[in-house]
Structures are given as structure tokens and as C-alpha cells.
Amino acid sequence: MEYQEVEPTREFLARLDTGQDWRDEIESLAREEGIEAGWFNAMGAVQDAEIWFYDQDDQEYQSVTFDEPLEVAACVGNVAKLDGDVFAHTHAVLSRRDGETLAGHLEGGTVFAGEVHLRAFEEPLVRNFDETTGLDLWLNE
């Protein structure tokens, strides 16, 4: 296990703009406030969504899109630098009208309504390629 102590510096509450991309809105907030590391929680609704599932054997993401209104029952993620830019690693549990749930890496979704709590950290975090998993992870050097 690798770990690092982080010092929270600032916290933000934000309402995402209707019609914008869910993840882009979080990344825009981080860029605007100069946040290179943080943790967020969110909830709301999207008009559509693209969810990725990581195939551990092939070490590739598989994409599934949903062109329907979905509740964002839970959304959690972190902010770090990836390839020199801010990246919001976002996971979500989405629900359909009948209560069926969908979950995974939320690559994108058109905001209907969204509320975010973002806690910024003093220490910047950078994602680097991890040979074992094929993923860009924190703290691997």
C-alpha cells in the first residue's frame, strides 16, 4: 500500500449547469480555483450518460451509453493531475425510473441538475501509469 497524508485547504459547494457535461463541470471548477488535488461527492440527475467498465484481463475500458434520464443517486471521485491537466476521476451509481441501478466510471453525462461538494488538498497529486494494472494511479513512482 502506498499512502500520503494530505492537508485539506478549502471546500466548495457547487451547482452544476444544466446542459453541460457532468465531469467537465467538476474539472472546470478545479481549474478555475487552481485545485490540483481533491475529493468530491455529488448527487443530482443527468439526461444521458456514458459509463466505463475496466476489463482487468484486457486492461481496457469498455463503454456503455444510456440515452435516457437517470438519477445520480451517488457520485464520488477525486481530482488529480493527469498528463499536465486536471482530471476528475468520477464514479457514480445511477438509477432508472423503475429503480434499476447502473454503476461504474462516469465518463460523461449531460447535467439536468447537480450538486457537488469538493474538498481541495494542499499537496498536488499526479496520476502516473501503473504497469501492473494498466491504469493511471496516484502515488506510484
Side-chain angles (χ1 to χ4, degrees):
M1 174 190 327
E2 297 181 44
Y3 64 92
Q4 168 182 333
E5 184 175 6
V6 293
E7 183 71 29
T9 57
R10 300 180 293 160
E11 293 190 54
F12 298 87
L13 296 175
R15 187 184 76 208
L16 306 181
D17 287 336
T18 302
Q20 299 302 307
D21 181 77
W22 187 277
R23 193 166 58 88
D24 286 349
E25 286 283 275
I26 296 168
E27 291 172 349
S28 292
L29 171 60
R31 275 189 209 96
E32 187 171 314
E33 291 297 327
I35 298 169
E36 295 185 355
W39 194 266
F40 62 87
N41 294 295
M43 61 185 174
V46 291
Q47 298 167 340
D48 52 41
E50 179 181 1
I51 296 175
W52 285 5
F53 175 83
Y54 191 70
D55 185 309
Q56 295 176 16
D57 294 326
D58 293 340
Q59 294 191 345
E60 292 181 355
Y61 281 103
Q62 298 172 350
S63 174
V64 182
T65 57
F66 301 91
D67 190 17
E68 60 188 284
L70 300 162
E71 287 290 316
V72 180
C75 177
V76 64
N78 54 60
V79 171
K81 295 288 283 228
L82 176 63
D83 298 328
D85 198 7
V86 171
F87 173 70
H89 185 193
T90 308
H91 282 235
V93 178
L94 309 174
S95 67
R96 288 183 159 141
R97 181 181 312 272
D98 65 1
E100 179 184 16
T101 56
L102 312 163
H105 175 94
L106 183 61
E107 179 59 16
T110 305
V111 174
F112 179 75
E115 299 169 336
V116 176
H117 171 234
L118 171 61
R119 175 177 281 178
F121 302 131
E122 179 69 30
E123 299 76 13
L125 292 170
V126 177
R127 292 184 169 279
N128 293 303
F129 183 75
D130 177 71
E131 293 280 338
T132 304
T133 64
L135 294 167
D136 294 309
L137 302 174
W138 281 353
L139 304 177
N140 55 345
E141 299 184 24

